[in-house]
Amino acid sequence: LIHDSILFADVDERQKALALELAAKEAERLNFQYVCTMNSDTIPRNDFSEGFDFDKYVRLTLSDATDDGGLLGIRF
């Protein structure tokens, strides 16, 4: 399952956190991969349940902090 963070555009932080936790739980239970692209400033870090480690699910972080940053040679 793949989606962009636009899905969360009008969703409050608590609901985002619960949705991401549910996606992680169900992906593990049903053995599928869940991919969600999010800007780092939209991750609801303060709303995750105690013990939920969001960072263990992060596989790729893109950054424009250096000249070689971006994706496929495109700087954002």
Side-chain angles (χ1 to χ4, degrees):
L1 173 63
I2 300 174
H3 82 260
D4 187 56
S5 60
I6 191 88
L7 181 72
F8 293 129
D10 295 323
V11 178
D12 71 43
E13 300 300 297
R14 183 186 54 82
Q15 291 172 320
K16 285 181 196 177
L18 289 172
L20 290 168
E21 287 184 40
L22 178 61
K25 179 181 173 184
E26 291 300 298
E28 288 178 17
R29 183 176 75 85
L30 298 172
N31 196 32
F32 69 89
Q33 185 176 23
Y34 173 72
V35 178
C36 177
T37 62
M38 298 184 80
N39 290 339
S40 59
D41 62 342
T42 65
I43 298 169
R45 293 192 179 276
N46 295 328
D47 293 291
F48 290 126
S49 299
E50 186 175 326
F52 181 75
D53 182 7
F54 175 81
D55 292 320
K56 95 175 199 179
Y57 298 100
V58 175
R59 296 295 178 256
L60 177 65
T61 301
L62 302 174
S63 173
D64 62 356
T66 62
D67 288 340
D68 62 349
L71 177 62
L72 303 174
I74 300 170
R75 295 189 44 82
F76 302 97

